[in-house]
Amino acid sequence: MPHSLLAFAKYTFTKDYADTITGKNPQNLNFDLRIYEPGNFTRIIHPLFYKLNSSHLKGSYNSSKHQLNFSASIPEIAFGNFTVRRADVDVKAINGVFNFQTSIDKVYSGDSLLLDTVNLLANRHGENFDVNVMVADKHRFNYADITAYITPLKEKSVVRLDTSDVKLGNYNWHFKPDNFIYVDGKKITTHNLVFKTNDQTVFIDSYLKNDTSTSVKVTLDNTDIGDFTGVFTEKMKDLKGAMNGKLVVEDIFAKPLVYSDVVINDFTLGKELIGDIDLESRLDESGKKINLYASIKSVNNFLEANGYVSLEGKTPTLKIDADASRLGINFLNYKFFDKYVKDCRGYAQVHATIAGPLNKPLLTGYVDLINDTVSVSFLNTTYHIQ
């Protein structure tokens, strides 16, 4: 049976695969499975697979017709911090024709509703697969309706993304036409893969380092940071700032290395201007240390930080020195802090170092508060600091 199922998968999803099972003794499989309270059984599959309750899975397989039917009705799945409510799956395949449909009512991250609707459709007729993914949050403030066309070739595939429609915050994004993604095992390259609005552009370039190792460079052109933070939480959709620069990840499937050179112009928290933020990272010549630089500059702020992340040994470590001749405390007026303080004015001088293992660094140094005014919310009292 395992050999027969593998042959079915190759016949259905690849090109020019020789049929090795038709004409032989047919192999049939039928199952009707109901799962009520599996207890800790799901955690044998994966330690973070917590729940799969009151589910109904039903299917049949016939090797002589390359035929598979499968359906699933799952009221709730919990994996790690994510919970999926009301998932329905339907799969039909016969003699190379393939149809897949799934719908999910809601996806939660912790107690927060992450997605209100998820639909995935996939069909194969002839040589191509058509795949459509539609996801949306509760109020459709963010949504994605993406269509891809997949053409299997011998031992590789070509993917083309339709222009599609993706709404992030206040803008509708689309892919440029005539794009291609070539997939040859772990070797992935792209051509003309551009994601854009009328005024913002993200260039995605996947290439092979030394002709073998998949690497990706993402170039940002006037991209609004609020559009992307709003995807993960509506609480931070009022962040503003135009991102420009590039992010490079080399050797994705081996030992990923990340390089960046990104500037966020006029970064604003709500109504509070922070300034221009510059973020840079570089791998040193030894290949064992990532050098880091960051700065914040505006009329209220002048802060620079230099340091590194060491990749030597089993436990990565870091050391970053931060110096600010002027750091405005107006950022404390952002809504995240209002239950602690409000009406904050003035500035501070900072000299600090953060060092140690990445999972448990230690912060040392000093902060001088200079001519500041702070109101403590729960005391409803205003303090002046000279």
Side-chain angles (χ1 to χ4, degrees), residues 134-315:
M134 201 286 286
V135 298
D137 62 15
K138 183 176 181 180
H139 303 292
R140 292 184 68 82
F141 184 79
N142 302 292
Y143 67 78
D145 188 355
I146 299 174
T147 299
Y149 306 102
I150 304 173
T151 303
L153 303 175
K154 196 167 184 65
E155 299 182 352
K156 56 186 175 182
S157 298
V158 177
V159 181
R160 183 176 68 84
L161 293 172
D162 190 43
T163 53
S164 304
D165 183 24
V166 179
K167 185 172 184 292
L168 300 175
N170 299 315
Y171 301 95
N172 286 78
W173 293 74
H174 304 279
F175 292 99
K176 287 188 68 174
D178 302 322
N179 64 77
F180 294 97
I181 304 171
Y182 300 92
V183 182
D184 183 2
K186 292 183 178 181
K187 298 179 180 179
I188 302 173
T189 56
T190 60
H191 169 73
N192 197 37
L193 187 56
V194 180
F195 190 48
K196 69 190 303 293
T197 68
N198 290 334
D199 303 314
Q200 307 174 68
T201 307
V202 178
F203 300 89
I204 305 168
D205 179 25
S206 180
Y207 59 95
L208 299 180
K209 179 184 176 184
N210 300 326
D211 295 326
T212 58
S213 180
T214 298
S215 303
V216 175
K217 179 172 72 173
V218 178
T219 304
L220 307 173
D221 182 9
N222 196 39
T223 305
D224 190 344
I225 190 174
D227 281 0
F228 291 92
T229 56
V231 173
F232 304 101
T233 172
E234 289 192 12
K235 295 178 181 179
M236 299 185 69
K237 65 183 181 183
D238 57 349
L239 300 187
K240 298 177 182 178
M243 295 187 294
N244 293 277
K246 63 183 179 181
L247 175 69
V248 178
V249 183
E250 292 188 343
D251 299 333
I252 288 179
F253 299 114
K255 294 182 179 179
L257 296 174
V258 180
Y259 310 84
S260 67
D261 187 355
V262 177
V263 175
I264 306 174
N265 296 315
D266 295 329
F267 179 64
T268 304
L269 284 171
K271 298 179 179 180
E272 304 299 328
L273 175 65
I274 305 303
D276 295 337
I277 299 178
D278 185 10
L279 304 170
E280 299 177 16
S281 69
R282 294 285 185 277
L283 189 69
D284 72 354
E285 294 181 357
S286 70
K288 297 180 180 180
K289 183 188 294 184
I290 300 175
N291 295 315
L292 305 172
Y293 171 79
S295 69
I296 304 174
K297 298 177 182 179
S298 71
V299 294
N300 290 323
N301 299 298
F302 191 93
L303 178 147
E304 290 186 305
N306 285 279
Y308 62 84
V309 175
S310 174
L311 305 176
E312 291 189 278
K314 295 182 178 180
T315 304

Side-chain angles (χ1 to χ4, degrees), residues 7-8 10-11 14-22 66 154:
F8 159 80
K10 290 182 177 180
Y11 180 85
T14 63
K15 183 179 181 179
D16 298 333
Y17 177 73
D19 186 354
T20 60
I21 54 177
T22 299
H66 300 284
K154 196 167 184 65

